[in-house]
Amino acid sequence: MNLVLAKNETGRALSDSFAIARDRLPGAGKVAEARSAAFEAYERAGLPHRRIEDWKYTDLRALMREVLPLAPAPDAAALKRAAAAVKLQAIKGARRLVLVDGVFAPKLSELDGLEKGLTVRTLQDVLEAGDAALQAQLLTPDNANPMVALNSAMMTDGVVIEIADGLVLKQPLQVIHVANAATPAAMFTRSLLRLGRDAGLTLVEGYIAADGAEVYQAHDSLIIAIGDNSRLDHVRLVEDSREAINISSSVVTLGAHAHFNTFGMTSGAAVSRYQATIAFAGEHSRVETNGVNLLNGRQHADTTLFMDHAVPHCASREVFRAVADNRAHSVFQGRIVVRPDAQKTDAKMMTRALLLSDDAEADNKPELEIFADDVTCGHGATTGALEESLLFYLRARGLSEKEAQALLIQAFVGEAIESIVNDDLRELAIAATRRWLEARS
């Protein structure tokens, strides 16, 4: 039986946008073919909805409704506004790489004096240069996920970072995504990070809005390959406009004896989803992933993690905290798969949610799929309110109700924030927490 799906106005508009945007999308030949195949995969599926298990709590057909047209390339005025936003977010001592409305901005970035063994290129350059190996890695994400497929079709720019064998960078790399479009628009970025053997790096990603940017969609994808005996510390802060939508994906592969320590905080955007697949490809590797959602109003934030233990003697730890106020909705989905050959796996996951109002909602869905018999695995999930006895104790010592709540909230999210190794970056996350608490009071 043949089924013909009628295309609605939104679908036609997006098809038109893709056709119009093709001339400014980098890459020809196989890259262009891959884009078309990815867009066809997205069109067949459409926006994810609640009948898809992985999107059960984040129905984009209801929350997002449509994909906005591609943002125009930033002009001089847009870059000036973006520069002001970047100045407020720049981290002292970090090398800055800036993307404005989905396009790399060299004048706002720091590319001079790169360390020997550090290579930074733009996605546009890589896709147009014909580097088959890099292009293959950039185009490998699974088109079965419709939002990854859409990103594959529409990606305009990003950064491609390569760390040579033996290079341990003391200076963090900061990638700042700046939304600046004056009218509602979408930005599509994809980046690649490759660490060689015995390498090390701290990567900081930030999502912010320039003055005047309110309604926009950020569609981002990051592919990471960590070589043998290498370490990556990754800090990710989402502080988009409160009317924005942020859909981000990561695909991470670890070699042998590798260490991946990642922390993410979401306090901005009306709707956000961070989905990450982390695969163990080498033995004796370790992953520590920590996250915090700080939400109020009608914000909706979804963190979905898939930990794929495919080889023996690896360990993973997941710690997630959510604070939801007003009518906010936090989602955490964590799935750990231990494959038959992954003996001696040590995997644990814990998620806790703190609801500050009767209308706030938190959905926590931890999952374990274990196909090996010599493993140590566990998970847990809790949801509750602030402890009344602790509030009373603090109020009795002269603190106001808001001050007492703020102190307890900071303690609640502290376990996840403490996972950040770099002192300056830990203070950055603490400052973001304080900003959220001040805006709440």
Side-chain angles (χ1 to χ4, degrees):
M1 178 178 177
N2 294 325
L3 296 177
V4 179
L5 299 178
K7 191 178 289 186
N8 60 23
E9 292 296 329
T10 298
R12 279 192 292 270
L14 184 57
S15 295
D16 293 342
S17 295
F18 179 63
I20 294 170
R22 280 185 179 181
D23 291 339
R24 60 170 286 203
L25 297 177
K30 292 184 178 180
V31 174
E33 293 173 5
R35 286 186 184 277
S36 296
F39 190 76
E40 290 171 3
Y42 168 76
E43 281 199 309
R44 285 194 296 271
L47 287 172
H49 50 84
R50 69 184 63 186
R51 291 191 297 277
I52 301 174
E53 183 62 27
D54 285 348
W55 295 84
K56 177 179 178 181
Y57 302 108
T58 303
D59 187 341
L60 291 189
R61 292 187 182 180
L63 294 168
M64 184 168 151
R65 298 186 181 178
E66 64 177 343
V67 179
L68 294 174
L70 188 64
D75 56 18
L79 291 174
K80 184 177 180 180
R81 292 192 298 273
V86 168
K87 188 175 181 180
L88 296 174
Q89 296 291 326
I91 301 171
K92 185 179 179 180
R95 181 182 293 279
R96 208 165 53 240
L97 305 172
V98 181
L99 294 154
V100 180
D101 289 343
V103 178
F104 185 73
K107 292 183 179 180
L108 303 182
S109 303
E110 298 173 340
L111 296 175
D112 295 333
L114 293 179
E115 292 85 343
K116 185 179 180 181
L118 168 62
T119 304
V120 178
R121 288 183 281 173
T122 68
L123 176 77
Q124 286 193 15
D125 290 343
V126 171
L127 293 183
E128 292 175 350
D131 188 327
L134 277 179
Q135 288 179 359
Q137 198 164 4
L138 282 161
L139 296 169
T140 50
D142 187 4
N143 285 338
N145 184 313
M147 301 312 292
V148 174
L150 180 62
N151 184 273
S152 297
M154 299 289 288
M155 57 182 174
T156 54
D157 211 351
V159 290
V160 176
I161 304 167
E162 296 179 274
I163 312 293
D165 292 350
L167 176 60
V168 178
L169 286 176
K170 296 181 180 179
Q171 182 182 31
L173 289 181
Q174 183 184 16
V175 179
I176 305 178
H177 300 259
V178 185
N180 192 57
T183 58
M187 306 107 194
F188 296 86
T189 52
R190 177 165 294 182
S191 296
L192 171 66
L193 171 61
R194 297 203 307 184
L195 276 77
R197 294 174 56 92
D198 304 301
L201 172 67
T202 296
L203 176 69
V204 186
E205 285 190 285
Y207 299 82
I208 60 174
D211 187 34
E214 295 181 354
V215 181
Y216 60 87
Q217 295 172 357
H219 300 266
D220 181 50
S221 181
L222 175 62
I223 302 165
I224 298 174
I226 305 174
D228 296 349
N229 303 302
S230 294
R231 174 174 180 136
L232 173 63
D233 290 281
H234 183 205
V235 177
R236 185 174 178 277
L237 303 175
V238 177
E239 298 183 274
D240 282 300
S241 156
R242 291 296 295 269
E243 297 183 51
I245 292 175
N246 186 313
I247 308 295
S248 299
S249 306
S250 291
V251 177
V252 184
T253 305
L254 288 86
H257 297 275
H259 191 174
F260 180 42
N261 181 11
T262 178
F263 171 84
M265 176 180 285
T266 298
S267 59
V271 176
S272 65
R273 175 173 165 113
Y274 175 61
Q275 49 191 14
T277 299
I278 302 172
F280 292 85
E283 295 185 25
H284 299 284
S285 290
R286 182 177 181 86
V287 170
E288 296 157 351
T289 176
N290 299 268
V292 173
N293 280 346
L294 296 174
L295 311 174
N296 56 25
R298 290 180 173 269
Q299 284 182 284
H300 178 105
D302 178 340
T303 298
T304 296
L305 304 176
F306 172 35
M307 204 74 65
D308 188 0
H309 286 268
V311 295
H313 304 286
C314 291
S316 64
R317 295 290 183 271
E318 298 175 55
V319 175
F320 188 80
R321 299 287 184 267
V323 181
D325 200 359
N326 308 126
R327 299 179 65 85
H329 184 187
S330 176
V331 176
F332 174 80
Q333 300 181 107
R335 183 154 62 104
I336 297 173
V337 174
V338 181
R339 302 194 183 276
D341 292 334
Q343 303 293 347
K344 302 295 183 181
T345 289
D346 182 2
K348 292 181 176 61
M349 170 173 38
M350 187 65 199
T351 172
R352 299 183 189 276
L354 184 62
L355 304 183
L356 302 181
S357 80
D358 293 338
D359 295 321
E361 182 179 352
D363 289 299
N364 298 319
K365 191 176 75 168
E367 299 176 81
L368 292 177
E369 297 180 20
I370 302 173
F371 302 98
D373 54 14
D374 187 5
V375 302
T376 302
C377 295
H379 67 71
T382 66
T383 301
L386 288 171
E387 181 64 46
E388 290 294 336
S389 62
L390 293 177
L391 282 173
F392 178 80
Y393 176 85
L394 295 173
R395 294 290 305 279
R397 277 147 185 80
L399 296 181
S400 69
E401 183 176 0
K402 288 293 185 181
E403 289 172 334
Q405 290 179 350
L407 198 61
L408 293 177
I409 291 169
Q410 286 179 297
F412 177 75
V413 302
E415 181 182 355
I417 292 177
E418 285 300 315
S419 68
I420 303 175
V421 176
N422 184 293
D423 292 340
D424 292 336
L425 299 183
R426 192 184 313 117
E427 286 300 319
L428 191 70
I430 292 171
T433 303
R434 288 173 179 158
R435 284 196 298 273
W436 185 84
L437 290 168
E438 289 169 2
R440 176 178 175 264
S441 56

